[in-house]
Amino acid sequence: MGNGRAWVEEAWSKTLDKTLRNTARIGSGFPHASQGGVYDLAEPAWWTAGFWPGLLWVLYEGSGREELKALAQECEAKLDAVLDGYVRLDHDLGFMWTLTSIASYKLTGSDVSRIRALKAANYLAARFNLKGRYIRAWNPWKEGERNEGWAIIDCCMNMPLLFWASRESGDPRFAHVAEAHLDTVLEQFIREDGSVYHIVVFDPATGEVVGPQGGQGYAPESAWSRGAAWAIYGLTLGFHHTGKPEYLSAAQRAADFFLSQLPDDQVPAWDFRAPLEIRDLRDSSAGSCAASGLLLLAEKLGREGANAAAAKYREGGERILKSLYDNYGAWDDPSEEGLILHGTSNYPQGTNIDVPLIYGDYFFAEGLARLKDGGASYWE
Protein backbone atom coordinates (compact mmCIF):
# COMPACT_ATOMS: atom_id res chain seq x y z
CA MET A 1 0.00 0.00 0.00
CA GLY A 2 1.55 3.28 -1.11
CA ASN A 3 1.84 6.43 0.98
CA GLY A 4 -1.37 7.73 -0.58
CA ARG A 5 -3.22 4.96 1.23
CA ALA A 6 -1.47 5.28 4.59
CA TRP A 7 -4.74 6.65 5.96
CA VAL A 8 -6.34 3.21 5.46
CA GLU A 9 -3.95 1.54 7.89
CA GLU A 10 -4.39 4.42 10.31
CA ALA A 11 -8.18 4.21 10.08
CA TRP A 12 -8.07 0.44 10.49
CA SER A 13 -5.93 0.73 13.62
CA LYS A 14 -8.26 3.30 15.18
CA THR A 15 -11.33 1.22 14.26
CA LEU A 16 -9.80 -1.85 15.90
CA ASP A 17 -8.68 0.03 19.00
CA LYS A 18 -12.01 1.74 19.59
CA THR A 19 -13.99 -1.45 19.01
CA LEU A 20 -11.80 -3.31 21.49
CA ARG A 21 -12.55 -0.59 24.04
CA ASN A 22 -16.28 -0.83 23.27
CA THR A 23 -16.35 -4.56 23.90
CA ALA A 24 -15.82 -3.90 27.61
CA ARG A 25 -19.37 -2.57 27.89
CA ILE A 26 -21.20 -3.97 24.86
CA GLY A 27 -19.82 -7.52 25.15
CA SER A 28 -22.09 -9.89 23.22
CA GLY A 29 -24.98 -7.41 23.11
CA PHE A 30 -26.71 -6.04 20.03
CA PRO A 31 -26.06 -2.30 19.64
CA HIS A 32 -28.14 -0.29 17.19
CA ALA A 33 -27.90 3.50 17.59
CA SER A 34 -25.76 5.65 19.85
CA GLN A 35 -27.77 7.90 22.16
CA GLY A 36 -25.84 10.44 24.17
CA GLY A 37 -22.62 8.67 23.27
CA VAL A 38 -23.77 5.20 24.37
CA TYR A 39 -24.98 2.48 22.04
CA ASP A 40 -28.45 1.25 22.91
CA LEU A 41 -28.64 -2.54 23.09
CA ALA A 42 -31.54 -3.86 21.05
CA GLU A 43 -33.27 -7.20 21.43
CA PRO A 44 -31.78 -10.06 19.38
CA ALA A 45 -34.83 -10.11 17.08
CA TRP A 46 -34.11 -6.57 15.84
CA TRP A 47 -32.90 -6.40 12.22
CA THR A 48 -29.53 -4.89 13.13
CA ALA A 49 -28.49 -7.82 15.33
CA GLY A 50 -25.91 -9.05 12.83
CA PHE A 51 -23.87 -5.89 12.51
CA TRP A 52 -21.98 -5.87 15.83
CA PRO A 53 -20.93 -9.53 15.51
CA GLY A 54 -20.21 -8.80 11.83
CA LEU A 55 -17.92 -5.95 12.89
CA LEU A 56 -16.21 -8.27 15.35
CA TRP A 57 -15.66 -10.87 12.62
CA VAL A 58 -14.24 -8.28 10.20
CA LEU A 59 -11.78 -7.07 12.81
CA TYR A 60 -10.95 -10.61 13.94
CA GLU A 61 -10.23 -11.63 10.36
CA GLY A 62 -7.87 -8.69 9.96
CA SER A 63 -6.19 -8.86 13.35
CA GLY A 64 -6.44 -12.39 14.76
CA ARG A 65 -7.67 -11.06 18.11
CA GLU A 66 -9.33 -14.11 19.67
CA GLU A 67 -11.49 -12.10 22.08
CA LEU A 68 -13.35 -10.63 19.09
CA LYS A 69 -14.03 -14.08 17.70
CA ALA A 70 -15.32 -15.30 21.07
CA LEU A 71 -17.79 -12.42 21.41
CA ALA A 72 -19.02 -12.87 17.84
CA GLN A 73 -19.70 -16.54 18.58
CA GLU A 74 -21.59 -15.59 21.75
CA CYS A 75 -23.78 -13.21 19.72
CA GLU A 76 -24.49 -15.91 17.15
CA ALA A 77 -25.56 -18.36 19.85
CA LYS A 78 -27.96 -15.80 21.33
CA LEU A 79 -29.73 -15.58 17.96
CA ASP A 80 -30.82 -19.23 18.24
CA ALA A 81 -33.80 -18.15 20.33
CA VAL A 82 -34.92 -15.89 17.48
CA LEU A 83 -34.34 -18.51 14.80
CA ASP A 84 -36.13 -21.24 16.70
CA GLY A 85 -38.89 -18.91 17.92
CA TYR A 86 -39.83 -18.17 14.29
CA VAL A 87 -42.56 -15.57 14.85
CA ARG A 88 -40.14 -12.62 15.06
CA LEU A 89 -38.38 -13.48 11.79
CA ASP A 90 -38.85 -11.31 8.72
CA HIS A 91 -36.98 -10.54 5.49
CA ASP A 92 -33.82 -9.47 7.33
CA LEU A 93 -32.66 -13.03 7.99
CA GLY A 94 -29.89 -12.32 5.50
CA PHE A 95 -28.53 -9.31 7.37
CA MET A 96 -28.65 -11.30 10.61
CA TRP A 97 -27.21 -14.69 9.64
CA THR A 98 -24.85 -13.71 6.83
CA LEU A 99 -22.81 -11.59 9.23
CA THR A 100 -22.95 -14.17 12.02
CA SER A 101 -23.30 -17.76 10.87
CA ILE A 102 -21.95 -17.51 7.31
CA ALA A 103 -19.06 -15.39 8.55
CA SER A 104 -18.37 -17.96 11.26
CA TYR A 105 -18.61 -20.87 8.83
CA LYS A 106 -16.27 -19.22 6.33
CA LEU A 107 -13.71 -18.28 8.97
CA THR A 108 -13.90 -21.29 11.31
CA GLY A 109 -15.64 -24.10 9.41
CA SER A 110 -18.22 -24.48 12.20
CA ASP A 111 -20.85 -27.09 11.31
CA VAL A 112 -23.24 -25.55 13.84
CA SER A 113 -22.96 -22.20 12.06
CA ARG A 114 -23.57 -23.88 8.70
CA ILE A 115 -26.79 -25.46 9.96
CA ARG A 116 -27.98 -22.15 11.44
CA ALA A 117 -27.43 -20.38 8.12
CA LEU A 118 -29.24 -23.10 6.17
CA LYS A 119 -32.22 -22.88 8.54
CA ALA A 120 -32.29 -19.11 8.10
CA ALA A 121 -32.17 -19.50 4.31
CA ASN A 122 -35.15 -21.87 4.39
CA TYR A 123 -37.18 -19.37 6.37
CA LEU A 124 -36.18 -16.54 4.02
CA ALA A 125 -37.08 -18.52 0.90
CA ALA A 126 -40.47 -19.29 2.46
CA ARG A 127 -41.29 -15.56 2.36
CA PHE A 128 -41.31 -15.59 -1.45
CA ASN A 129 -44.57 -14.53 -3.09
CA LEU A 130 -44.87 -16.56 -6.30
CA LYS A 131 -47.45 -14.30 -7.95
CA GLY A 132 -45.51 -11.07 -7.50
CA ARG A 133 -42.04 -12.69 -7.54
CA TYR A 134 -40.81 -10.85 -4.46
CA ILE A 135 -39.64 -11.58 -0.93
CA ARG A 136 -42.19 -10.19 1.47
CA ALA A 137 -40.89 -7.44 3.75
CA TRP A 138 -41.65 -7.19 7.45
CA ASN A 139 -44.66 -8.56 9.33
CA PRO A 140 -47.63 -6.65 10.77
CA TRP A 141 -46.34 -4.26 13.43
CA LYS A 142 -49.70 -4.10 15.18
CA GLU A 143 -52.92 -6.04 15.20
CA GLY A 144 -54.98 -5.63 12.05
CA GLU A 145 -52.15 -4.18 9.95
CA ARG A 146 -51.71 -5.64 6.47
CA ASN A 147 -48.35 -5.44 4.74
CA GLU A 148 -48.02 -8.86 3.13
CA GLY A 149 -47.84 -7.14 -0.27
CA TRP A 150 -44.81 -5.03 0.59
CA ALA A 151 -41.31 -5.45 -0.81
CA ILE A 152 -38.33 -3.18 -0.12
CA ILE A 153 -35.02 -2.31 -1.77
CA ASP A 154 -33.08 -3.28 1.38
CA CYS A 155 -33.86 -6.92 0.71
CA CYS A 156 -31.31 -7.04 -2.13
CA MET A 157 -28.75 -7.46 0.64
CA ASN A 158 -30.53 -10.53 1.98
CA MET A 159 -30.24 -12.47 -1.28
CA PRO A 160 -26.62 -13.63 -0.73
CA LEU A 161 -27.92 -15.90 2.04
CA LEU A 162 -30.04 -17.71 -0.56
CA PHE A 163 -27.26 -17.90 -3.14
CA TRP A 164 -24.95 -19.31 -0.47
CA ALA A 165 -27.57 -21.89 0.54
CA SER A 166 -27.88 -23.09 -3.06
CA ARG A 167 -24.14 -23.60 -3.33
CA GLU A 168 -23.87 -25.19 0.07
CA SER A 169 -26.84 -27.55 -0.32
CA GLY A 170 -26.61 -28.23 -4.04
CA ASP A 171 -30.28 -27.23 -4.36
CA PRO A 172 -30.87 -24.51 -6.99
CA ARG A 173 -34.27 -23.49 -5.62
CA PHE A 174 -32.80 -20.96 -3.18
CA ALA A 175 -30.99 -19.23 -6.05
CA HIS A 176 -34.15 -19.33 -8.17
CA VAL A 177 -36.00 -17.39 -5.47
CA ALA A 178 -33.17 -14.86 -5.12
CA GLU A 179 -32.97 -14.28 -8.88
CA ALA A 180 -36.72 -13.88 -9.18
CA HIS A 181 -36.71 -11.25 -6.42
CA LEU A 182 -33.79 -9.37 -8.00
CA ASP A 183 -35.50 -9.47 -11.40
CA THR A 184 -38.50 -7.80 -9.76
CA VAL A 185 -36.17 -5.18 -8.29
CA LEU A 186 -34.93 -4.40 -11.80
CA GLU A 187 -38.47 -4.10 -13.12
CA GLN A 188 -40.12 -2.19 -10.28
CA PHE A 189 -37.56 -0.47 -8.04
CA ILE A 190 -34.84 1.03 -10.23
CA ARG A 191 -35.85 4.23 -11.98
CA GLU A 192 -34.40 5.25 -15.33
CA ASP A 193 -32.07 7.81 -13.72
CA GLY A 194 -30.69 5.19 -11.30
CA SER A 195 -32.58 6.39 -8.23
CA VAL A 196 -34.69 3.81 -6.41
CA TYR A 197 -37.95 3.34 -4.60
CA HIS A 198 -37.79 2.18 -1.00
CA ILE A 199 -41.12 0.32 -0.88
CA VAL A 200 -43.19 -1.13 -3.71
CA VAL A 201 -46.59 -2.50 -2.77
CA PHE A 202 -48.08 -5.48 -4.61
CA ASP A 203 -51.47 -7.14 -4.42
CA PRO A 204 -50.34 -10.26 -2.58
CA ALA A 205 -53.10 -12.38 -4.12
CA THR A 206 -52.55 -11.45 -7.76
CA GLY A 207 -49.00 -10.04 -7.81
CA GLU A 208 -50.15 -6.84 -9.52
CA VAL A 209 -48.25 -3.68 -8.63
CA VAL A 210 -50.22 -1.26 -6.47
CA GLY A 211 -47.53 1.44 -6.33
CA PRO A 212 -44.61 2.88 -4.35
CA GLN A 213 -44.49 4.25 -0.82
CA GLY A 214 -41.98 6.67 0.66
CA GLY A 215 -40.87 4.42 3.49
CA GLN A 216 -37.76 5.83 5.14
CA GLY A 217 -37.30 8.36 2.35
CA TYR A 218 -38.97 11.76 2.22
CA ALA A 219 -41.68 10.76 -0.28
CA PRO A 220 -42.58 7.98 -2.73
CA GLU A 221 -40.77 9.71 -5.62
CA SER A 222 -37.80 11.00 -3.61
CA ALA A 223 -34.37 9.37 -3.46
CA TRP A 224 -33.55 7.88 -0.06
CA SER A 225 -29.77 7.58 -0.05
CA ARG A 226 -29.47 4.39 1.99
CA GLY A 227 -31.89 2.74 -0.41
CA ALA A 228 -29.55 3.74 -3.24
CA ALA A 229 -26.68 2.17 -1.30
CA TRP A 230 -28.60 -1.09 -0.82
CA ALA A 231 -29.23 -1.14 -4.57
CA ILE A 232 -25.59 -0.52 -5.53
CA TYR A 233 -24.27 -3.22 -3.22
CA GLY A 234 -27.14 -5.70 -3.52
CA LEU A 235 -27.25 -5.69 -7.32
CA THR A 236 -23.47 -5.98 -7.54
CA LEU A 237 -23.73 -9.02 -5.28
CA GLY A 238 -26.49 -10.34 -7.52
CA PHE A 239 -24.09 -10.10 -10.46
CA HIS A 240 -21.36 -11.78 -8.44
CA HIS A 241 -23.58 -14.76 -7.69
CA THR A 242 -25.26 -15.11 -11.09
CA GLY A 243 -23.13 -13.43 -13.74
CA LYS A 244 -26.28 -11.76 -15.11
CA PRO A 245 -25.18 -8.57 -16.90
CA GLU A 246 -28.54 -6.89 -16.19
CA TYR A 247 -27.67 -6.77 -12.50
CA LEU A 248 -24.25 -5.25 -13.20
CA SER A 249 -25.75 -2.61 -15.49
CA ALA A 250 -28.40 -1.65 -12.93
CA ALA A 251 -25.77 -1.46 -10.17
CA GLN A 252 -23.80 0.96 -12.35
CA ARG A 253 -26.87 3.13 -12.94
CA ALA A 254 -27.53 3.28 -9.21
CA ALA A 255 -23.85 4.03 -8.55
CA ASP A 256 -23.72 6.80 -11.14
CA PHE A 257 -26.79 8.44 -9.64
CA PHE A 258 -25.43 8.14 -6.11
CA LEU A 259 -22.03 9.62 -6.97
CA SER A 260 -23.62 12.45 -8.96
CA GLN A 261 -25.62 13.56 -5.92
CA LEU A 262 -22.83 13.72 -3.35
CA PRO A 263 -21.92 17.04 -1.73
CA ASP A 264 -18.38 18.36 -1.52
CA ASP A 265 -17.45 16.20 1.46
CA GLN A 266 -18.67 13.04 -0.36
CA VAL A 267 -21.06 11.94 2.40
CA PRO A 268 -24.69 11.77 1.26
CA ALA A 269 -27.74 13.62 2.43
CA TRP A 270 -30.28 11.24 3.98
CA ASP A 271 -32.51 11.78 0.94
CA PHE A 272 -31.13 13.31 -2.24
CA ARG A 273 -34.52 14.85 -3.08
CA ALA A 274 -35.55 16.05 0.36
CA PRO A 275 -36.53 19.73 0.62
CA LEU A 276 -33.49 22.00 0.79
CA GLU A 277 -34.10 22.98 4.40
CA ILE A 278 -33.59 19.39 5.59
CA ARG A 279 -31.24 18.11 2.89
CA ASP A 280 -28.12 19.04 4.85
CA LEU A 281 -28.93 16.23 7.27
CA ARG A 282 -26.49 13.46 6.37
CA ASP A 283 -26.62 9.69 6.53
CA SER A 284 -23.09 8.47 7.06
CA SER A 285 -24.35 4.87 7.06
CA ALA A 286 -25.55 5.29 3.47
CA GLY A 287 -22.06 6.52 2.64
CA SER A 288 -20.21 3.62 4.21
CA CYS A 289 -22.55 1.00 2.74
CA ALA A 290 -22.34 2.53 -0.73
CA ALA A 291 -18.56 2.78 -0.46
CA SER A 292 -18.12 -0.92 0.24
CA GLY A 293 -20.52 -1.73 -2.60
CA LEU A 294 -18.65 0.60 -4.97
CA LEU A 295 -15.38 -1.16 -4.19
CA LEU A 296 -16.94 -4.53 -5.02
CA LEU A 297 -18.50 -3.07 -8.18
CA ALA A 298 -15.07 -1.80 -9.24
CA GLU A 299 -13.58 -5.23 -8.64
CA LYS A 300 -16.23 -6.92 -10.80
CA LEU A 301 -15.89 -4.40 -13.62
CA GLY A 302 -12.12 -4.72 -13.55
CA ARG A 303 -12.46 -8.45 -14.10
CA GLU A 304 -14.82 -7.70 -17.00
CA GLY A 305 -12.18 -5.48 -18.56
CA ALA A 306 -14.08 -2.24 -17.94
CA ASN A 307 -11.08 -0.58 -16.35
CA ALA A 308 -12.11 3.07 -16.70
CA ALA A 309 -15.46 2.40 -15.04
CA ALA A 310 -13.76 0.29 -12.40
CA ALA A 311 -11.39 3.14 -11.56
CA LYS A 312 -14.28 5.60 -11.27
CA TYR A 313 -16.14 3.46 -8.72
CA ARG A 314 -13.04 2.48 -6.79
CA GLU A 315 -11.99 6.11 -6.47
CA GLY A 316 -15.55 7.08 -5.51
CA GLY A 317 -15.65 4.46 -2.76
CA GLU A 318 -12.26 5.53 -1.44
CA ARG A 319 -13.23 9.20 -1.37
CA ILE A 320 -16.33 8.43 0.71
CA LEU A 321 -14.43 6.27 3.19
CA LYS A 322 -11.61 8.80 3.55
CA SER A 323 -14.07 11.61 4.23
CA LEU A 324 -15.87 9.47 6.80
CA TYR A 325 -12.53 8.85 8.49
CA ASP A 326 -11.32 12.45 8.32
CA ASN A 327 -14.56 14.32 8.96
CA TYR A 328 -17.04 11.96 10.66
CA GLY A 329 -14.95 9.73 12.90
CA ALA A 330 -15.21 9.83 16.69
CA TRP A 331 -11.82 8.21 17.19
CA ASP A 332 -10.51 10.30 20.05
CA ASP A 333 -13.77 11.02 21.85
CA PRO A 334 -14.07 8.77 24.92
CA SER A 335 -17.63 10.02 25.48
CA GLU A 336 -18.85 8.52 22.16
CA GLU A 337 -18.99 4.76 21.49
CA GLY A 338 -19.95 5.12 17.83
CA LEU A 339 -17.18 5.02 15.26
CA ILE A 340 -18.84 7.17 12.60
CA LEU A 341 -21.01 10.20 13.43
CA HIS A 342 -24.06 11.69 11.67
CA GLY A 343 -26.14 8.71 10.64
CA THR A 344 -29.88 8.99 9.99
CA SER A 345 -31.93 5.89 10.65
CA ASN A 346 -35.55 6.89 9.97
CA TYR A 347 -36.26 10.56 9.41
CA PRO A 348 -40.01 10.24 8.68
CA GLN A 349 -40.54 8.48 12.01
CA GLY A 350 -38.17 10.81 13.84
CA THR A 351 -36.01 7.97 15.17
CA ASN A 352 -32.24 7.93 15.56
CA ILE A 353 -31.46 11.10 13.62
CA ASP A 354 -27.90 12.47 13.43
CA VAL A 355 -26.36 9.70 15.52
CA PRO A 356 -23.86 6.87 14.97
CA LEU A 357 -25.49 3.67 13.68
CA ILE A 358 -24.01 0.21 14.06
CA TYR A 359 -24.48 -0.64 10.38
CA GLY A 360 -22.62 2.54 9.46
CA ASP A 361 -19.75 1.40 11.66
CA TYR A 362 -19.89 -2.12 10.19
CA PHE A 363 -19.77 -1.07 6.54
CA PHE A 364 -17.00 1.43 7.28
CA ALA A 365 -14.83 -1.36 8.69
CA GLU A 366 -15.82 -3.67 5.83
CA GLY A 367 -14.85 -1.00 3.31
CA LEU A 368 -11.46 -0.59 4.98
CA ALA A 369 -10.96 -4.36 4.84
CA ARG A 370 -11.70 -4.29 1.11
CA LEU A 371 -9.12 -1.53 0.62
CA LYS A 372 -6.55 -3.30 2.76
CA ASP A 373 -6.62 -6.85 1.47
CA GLY A 374 -10.00 -7.69 0.00
CA GLY A 375 -11.17 -9.25 3.27
CA ALA A 376 -14.63 -9.48 4.83
CA SER A 377 -16.25 -11.19 1.84
CA TYR A 378 -19.10 -12.75 3.82
CA TRP A 379 -21.74 -11.65 1.27
CA GLU A 380 -19.83 -13.35 -1.51
Side-chain angles (χ1 to χ4, degrees), residues 286-301:
S288 61
C289 174
S292 195
L294 286 164
L295 294 175
L296 180 63
L297 178 58
E299 178 188 321
K300 297 304 169 189
L301 285 164

Side-chain angles (χ1 to χ4, degrees), residues 49-60:
F51 289 107
W52 171 249
L55 176 62
L56 299 176
W57 279 123
V58 169
L59 295 172
Y60 164 74

